[in-house]
Amino acid sequence: MMDPTLIDFNFTHQAHWIIILPMLGFLLELIIGKYWWRKGGMFATLSILGSMIISFGCLYNVYVQEMPFYEYSWEWFYPGIVAGFTIDPLSLAMLCMVSFISFFIHFYAIGYMAHDCAKNVYFAETALFTGSMFGLILANNLLQLFIFWEMVGVCSYLLIGFWWHRPEAAAAGKKAWMSCAVGDCLFLLGIAIMFTIMVGTPGVSATEPISFNQIFQNLGHLHHAAPIFGIPALTLICVLFMCGVLGKSAGFPLHVWIPDAMEGPTTVSALIHAATMVTAGVYLIARAFPIFLAAPNALMIVAFMGAFTALYASTLGLVVNDLKRIFAYSTISQLGYMIAILGCGAVLGVTAVAYALFHLVAHAFFKALLFLSSGSVLHGIGNVRDIKEMGGLLKGMPWTGYAMLAGALALIAFPFTAGYYSKDMIIEESYIYATHGGALGYMVWIFLVLGVILTATYTFRAWYLAMTGEPRSYPAVHPHECGIWMKTTLIVLSVFALGLGIMTGGGHKFWDFLKQTFEQETLTATGAYPGLDMHDIAHYGGNTLMHHGAHPPQWVIYLPLLLMIAGIAIATAVYYKNRIDVSKYVKKDNPIYQILWNKYYLDYLFKDILAEKIIMTLFTFWDVLDRYVIDGVVNLLSWITIQSGQVSRKLQTGMVQNYATAVIFGVSMLMILVIMIRGGI
Amino acid sequence: MTLGENFELLVFAVLAVVLIFTAIMVIASKEIVHSALYLLGTFATVAGIYILSKATFIGIVQIFVYIGAIGILIIFAVMLTTREVGG
Amino acid sequence: MIPLEYYLLLAGILFAIGAYGIMTLSNGIKLLMCVELMLNAANMNLVAFSTHINDASGQVFALFSIALAAAEAAVGFAIILMVYRLRAEIDIDNVKLLRW
């Protein structure tokens, strides 16, 4: 243990600099970045290094020195609308993870983007991206969170379409924006309803109606709020929040933007998938966890959507040939695991948040590693992304190859890697949820377990096809290894992807720290919010928390391990040893392959049916209405104005005498009127 | 009515007659220069009325500003715009 | 003491003469002269009331009015001069810049 008196500085009171520094980095990079060192990159990287130092300083304050959790808010533009930041284990875990990963991705990008002509713009945008994510994490109220949430969305749009001159990239950026916007609208609606019922519920004395702590303190009153459309108000709010989460965290059915988002630079994919974007949704559920817990049935929906997404995305990962897209589907799948375990919080309580966050952090490390190593592959063989055209790259780029292997092992939860501790715990705990949660609970568990074997298969399929065997195209014959910037990053991330679980004592240190989140009091500038009693809150939502940790049977603990080994075995047999020939199944006339290849026709449904048939038809009606009715009214008004002007312009004779006469006449009339009304002067 | 009041009334009557006459001549005279001079007369008469009604200061200001400044301004304007006398 | 009504009657007559001039005349300079007549009528009213109720504020208003009239006259005659320079005439019947 470190000496608690080693550093005598209260970083938690300087937490606003975590947001401000990257914003400064953004401005400097945009304005003068082009004329400095390597034409961009320095300001962004250094500013995020600064944020990282403050974040870890806050962690040191709270974890080692055991300072109280801290919340600061100041009034913004309307009584009760505040801006502020919260320092508690939840935000600290996210802050440290985001700043650390983002710093190393920036570090890597100095090498990766070295030859891009708009490098300073790229770094400005990533700095803004990271800064917005910090703002989202630190937000102590829903409105601030939503503003930064949208800023994250804007930055993802800009960065996915960074190579805008390629039409696919521009379209992908637009798709990301549109899919998120669907969820974000509903999320905003949820915030509005929350504001209304916070202000309108009798007994609520909220001075800051949408601050998280105020909402949590008043949950006892809020769950009496009148139902809306027959749905309990809190459940409706949570479902609307969940829609925002599905958009941002790429849950089914709004995940469609994730595979296309691979059109951006690989560092952007890494940033989106590991640190800054998709984790926002999971973080929102974790941050608003007491609200979900107090809302009847809300966590059940969360658990089911998460588990379904986890299984659904891993089936798609099996057939995709684009290296980056395979990892993209694995992200969707892993996010599904996180959302599912948060849903299991209906039984597990705040421990579920700890499990989800640990998987989130572990996932951030190994997914950043996977994306950065695939970026290195792309860099090395001239932007070939199809794994059918790779092969045998391990000889040419061993560093990259073994880094990717490390990431893959962590992803499939190979024993003693980071993913092993985080994901297996999720599956075990979901079994405990299942034993309390009935048929739907077992479905959640089955989905998660099935996801394990698929994950192992598709991950090793990608690794074997890319790294082993004979080169299958010309660029793959002579790959060149990446430079020192990128190699350093890969090594650091490999160490964490493999060792994070062991470093945190099998995750227990992390979980014990995170479990304190809602149940300890939070200091503010003027007072303190008392800790929440999660059992009471669970009762509001009809949930019952377990009082003591239950242990699942032994076979449940070993099942994921066996399935994972089975998955690796399948991948090895098919793609490494070539014992099984799958080519007779992988054909266009195989209906199952056809469905998977077309991503369950979801893109078809959204684009061809929903967008082009239904919405375009509605637009035609709207167009007629617009052209003839609305335009007609406008034209009528302008016609009346012109005609009345034509008539009344004759009054303007230009003769001063006429004007004077009119004035005198008018004044006389006025005086007569006054006399008539008042009966005298 | 005392003698003083009668005298005052007499002065007022004289000033009123002069005032109305000069004012009418301002708009009635053909020569614009005459108009201007009649206007100065009007101003002077009004100043007299002010002094008569015990507002001596305003009366003196009236003489300064109206006769001294505006009157000269008008005569200048007349001189600068009229081509020949009687035009 | 002259009754208040006499003053008011005299001011009314003066105002009417000025108003008549404004409505009928076409010479720009004469028009401005008539404006001055009307302003004088108004000032006379102020002074008369001020004397009548024995309160100096009416005179203060008259003073302001005089200052304003001086400024107005200066601007007005400047405009007339500019019009004369452009059109070589000051008959405002022919100067219809504001006509439709």
Side-chain angles (χ1 to χ4, degrees), chain A residues 649-662 664, chain C residues 19 22-26 31 38 92-93 95-96 98-100:
Chain A
R649 66 191 281 193
K650 303 284 184 207
L651 289 173
Q652 301 292 334
T653 56
M655 308 269 285
V656 181
Q657 295 92 334
N658 288 0
Y659 300 142
T661 312
I664 289 165
Chain C
I22 279 194
M23 286 191 279
T24 54
L25 295 178
S26 69
L31 225 65
M38 286 161 77
I92 55 160
D93 281 357
V95 183
K96 292 176 184 166
L98 291 179
R99 198 182 169 82
W100 65 82

Side-chain angles (χ1 to χ4, degrees), chain A residues 423-438:
Chain A
K423 194 154 91 177
D424 276 16
M425 192 48 111
I426 286 179
I427 293 165
E428 287 166 26
E429 296 296 323
S430 71
Y431 182 79
I432 293 172
Y433 173 72
T435 55
H436 288 72

Side-chain angles (χ1 to χ4, degrees), chain A residues 170-394:
Chain A
K174 219 173 353 182
K175 192 169 175 182
W177 178 248
M178 300 277 273
S179 324
C180 287
V182 173
D184 293 349
C185 288
L186 297 171
F187 179 28
L188 186 59
L189 186 62
I191 295 175
I193 296 174
M194 179 54 101
F195 186 90
T196 317
I197 68 167
M198 267 302 272
V199 172
T201 307
V204 172
S205 60
T207 48
E208 299 170 5
I210 47 176
S211 286
F212 286 114
N213 271 320
Q214 286 282 1
I215 296 172
F216 298 161
Q217 299 297 330
N218 287 306
L219 280 174
H221 297 289
L222 286 180
H223 86 284
H224 294 302
I228 301 165
F229 304 126
I231 308 168
L234 279 181
T235 306
L236 183 67
I237 289 168
C238 288
V239 168
L240 291 172
F241 282 11
M242 187 63 196
C243 294
V245 171
L246 291 178
K248 198 62 99 192
S249 274
F252 177 85
L254 295 177
H255 66 279
V256 289
W257 61 273
I258 279 264
D260 291 28
M262 294 300 114
E263 298 296 336
T266 309
T267 44
V268 171
S269 309
L271 210 50
I272 288 177
H273 286 256
T276 47
M277 175 121 172
V278 294
T279 53
V282 178
Y283 178 74
L284 171 65
I285 304 185
R287 173 55 68 201
F289 184 72
I291 307 176
F292 279 79
L293 194 59
N297 296 329
L299 283 173
M300 195 182 73
I301 298 167
V302 172
F304 184 73
M305 289 307 288
F308 181 71
T309 308
L311 180 65
Y312 168 88
S314 41
T315 58
L316 288 176
L318 281 176
V319 296
V320 181
N321 286 332
D322 183 322
L323 183 62
K324 284 172 72 182
R325 286 190 186 203
I326 294 174
F327 296 141
Y329 280 117
S330 82
T331 305
I332 303 176
S333 168
Q334 299 306 310
L335 287 166
Y337 279 91
M338 296 170 210
I339 295 174
I341 189 67
L342 282 168
C344 298
V347 172
L348 304 172
V350 74
T351 19
V353 175
Y355 296 141
L357 259 287
F358 189 53
H359 192 47
L360 193 151
V361 172
H363 172 261
F365 281 109
F366 61 69
K367 192 49 60 74
L369 176 60
L370 283 171
F371 270 109
L372 294 183
S373 54
S374 61
S376 170
V377 168
L378 266 53
H379 203 254
I381 60 172
N383 276 327
V384 174
R385 297 191 344 202
D386 194 339
I387 50 173
K388 299 266 179 203
E389 295 179 11
M390 295 177 187
L393 296 178
L394 195 58

Side-chain angles (χ1 to χ4, degrees), chain B residues 19-59:
Chain B
L19 180 64
I20 292 167
F21 170 73
T22 50
I24 288 173
M25 285 315 287
V26 166
I27 59 170
S29 64
K30 292 274 180 283
E31 288 284 346
I32 194 155
V33 182
H34 294 176
S35 279
L37 292 174
Y38 279 123
L39 188 66
L40 291 188
T42 316
F43 290 157
T45 326
V46 171
I49 286 175
Y50 288 161
I51 292 165
L52 185 67
S53 58
K54 299 182 188 67
T56 325
F57 179 67
I58 295 291

Side-chain angles (χ1 to χ4, degrees), chain A residues 314 317-318 326 412 450-464 563-572 574-575:
Chain A
S314 41
L318 281 176
I326 294 174
I412 65 168
L450 284 180
V452 172
I453 184 167
L454 294 173
T455 308
T457 311
Y458 70 69
T459 311
F460 269 83
R461 167 178 177 263
W463 193 78
Y464 282 136
L563 287 175
M564 183 265 293
I565 292 166
I568 299 178
I570 294 169
T572 312
V574 176
Y575 298 105

